[in-house]
Amino acid sequence: MSLALTLTRRRAAAAALTAALLVPLAACGNDDAEKGTAGSTPSGSASAAPRANLTVLAAASLTNVFKTAGAAYEKAHPGTRITFSFAGSQELVAQVSQGSPADVLVTADTKSMDKVKADTGTPAIIAKNRLVIATGEGNPFKVDELKDLADTRLKVVLAAPEVPAGKYSKKVLDAQKITVKPVSQEPNVRAVLSKVELGEADAGLVYKTDAASAADKVDAVEIPDAQNAIATYPAATLKDSKNAEAAAAFVAWLSSPEGQKILQGAGFQKP
């Protein structure tokens, strides 16, 4: 055998051996790369969050801001869908007591939440609010302060006494010894706002955020801090929820910087 042929065969054998050794190394490298890609999602990222269809029972005064918050949450948590049911807190408590299927409860006062504490997890305060006097656009009757609501020539509407907004209204009026004879008592604060918006009432006591949501239709007359009441909003998961982990994630998000930015942007106060 010639020397040239021997060298040629040795080179071929060496090349084959090198290629054989490189194949498993490349395969390991690809596995690591794939594992790195698949496992590189941080545990707190949107894609790692629980996915579910959540039903949230929320106080009527949260209607506008929660629609915005819900859209933001769904965008940040693909695969999660939130359905809101808005009503007066007393109605929401009744629904929970009757076993209506839901995942989260948010009320406009702690007393309402306390009534169903056996059915909820530990509540977290997510926001606060305060009352203002809502009048027709331009304040045609020149309502400047609480005592003006005692004028019998005014058509005043209030939330019913069993509603948080009604309780807060009674508290501030009683503290100032002001007697108001409302033309109607509404089942939730948004109904009070609607009466003023439609011109069916001259004035009503609503939350500051409610008046702000209809700023093109009503005027808001501020009530001094010393005469006002602060509304507190607790949020809690429901023990019968079939989506406990996802429900807890949403409640926690409401207290996060992202959730608080939306709430405070709508005029709610810090918890």
Side-chain angles (χ1 to χ4, degrees), residues 2 18 30 44 107 142 238:
S2 68
T18 300
N30 288 340
T107 61
K142 307 304 178 188
L238 293 174

Side-chain angles (χ1 to χ4, degrees), residues 161-185:
E162 62 271 19
V163 183
K167 294 175 185 176
Y168 295 131
S169 297
K170 185 177 187 304
K171 179 180 179 180
V172 300
L173 292 171
D174 286 352
Q176 300 303 311
K177 297 180 172 54
I178 298 171
T179 301
V180 175
K181 296 181 178 179
V183 295
S184 69
Q185 293 181 312

Side-chain angles (χ1 to χ4, degrees), residues 14-263:
L17 179 60
T18 300
L21 290 172
L22 287 174
V23 169
L25 288 174
C28 290
N30 288 340
D31 287 346
D32 289 343
E34 289 174 5
K35 289 177 182 177
T37 300
S40 61
T41 302
S43 60
S45 71
S47 59
R51 298 181 179 185
N53 293 323
L54 296 177
T55 297
V56 177
L57 307 179
S61 52
L62 293 165
T63 300
N64 291 61
V65 70
F66 262 22
K67 287 179 179 179
T68 301
Y73 190 82
E74 289 178 352
K75 183 177 180 180
H77 300 79
T80 294
R81 293 291 177 266
I82 302 178
T83 300
F84 292 106
S85 178
F86 298 105
S89 295
Q90 82 288 352
E91 293 182 40
L92 302 178
V93 166
Q95 290 178 36
V96 171
S97 298
Q98 293 164 9
S100 296
D103 303 289
V104 174
L105 172 66
V106 189
T107 61
D109 67 336
T110 55
K111 288 184 179 180
S112 293
M113 184 67 76
D114 288 343
K115 290 179 180 179
V116 288
K117 61 184 178 181
D119 302 300
T120 70
T122 302
I125 304 302
I126 61 164
K128 293 189 176 183
N129 214 337
R130 54 186 296 158
L131 294 175
V132 297
I133 304 169
T135 72
E137 186 179 9
N139 193 2
F141 294 93
K142 307 304 178 188
V143 176
D144 296 319
E145 52 188 333
L146 281 171
K147 68 179 184 180
D148 292 338
L149 299 180
D151 189 336
T152 55
R153 293 172 297 178
L154 284 180
K155 290 186 292 183
V156 178
V157 289
L158 299 173
E162 62 271 19
V163 183
K167 294 175 185 176
Y168 295 131
S169 297
K170 185 177 187 304
K171 179 180 179 180
V172 300
L173 292 171
D174 286 352
Q176 300 303 311
K177 297 180 172 54
I178 298 171
T179 301
V180 175
K181 296 181 178 179
V183 295
S184 69
Q185 293 181 312
E186 302 300 321
N188 60 68
V189 72
R190 297 300 289 220
V192 175
L193 180 68
S194 179
K195 290 276 188 179
V196 178
E197 282 184 285
L198 297 172
E200 297 175 7
D202 303 321
L205 287 173
V206 302
Y207 296 121
K208 184 175 183 176
T209 53
D210 293 308
S213 72
D216 58 335
K217 296 179 181 178
V218 303
D219 281 10
V221 178
E222 295 284 343
I223 300 172
D225 289 345
Q227 299 176 12
N228 215 330
I230 301 299
T232 301
Y233 291 76
T237 57
L238 293 174
K239 291 182 178 178
D240 287 341
S241 169
K242 295 180 180 179
N243 307 292
E245 189 178 355
F250 177 69
V251 170
W253 181 85
L254 291 172
S255 295
S256 73
E258 294 83 2
Q260 286 297 300
K261 182 178 180 180
I262 293 172
L263 285 163

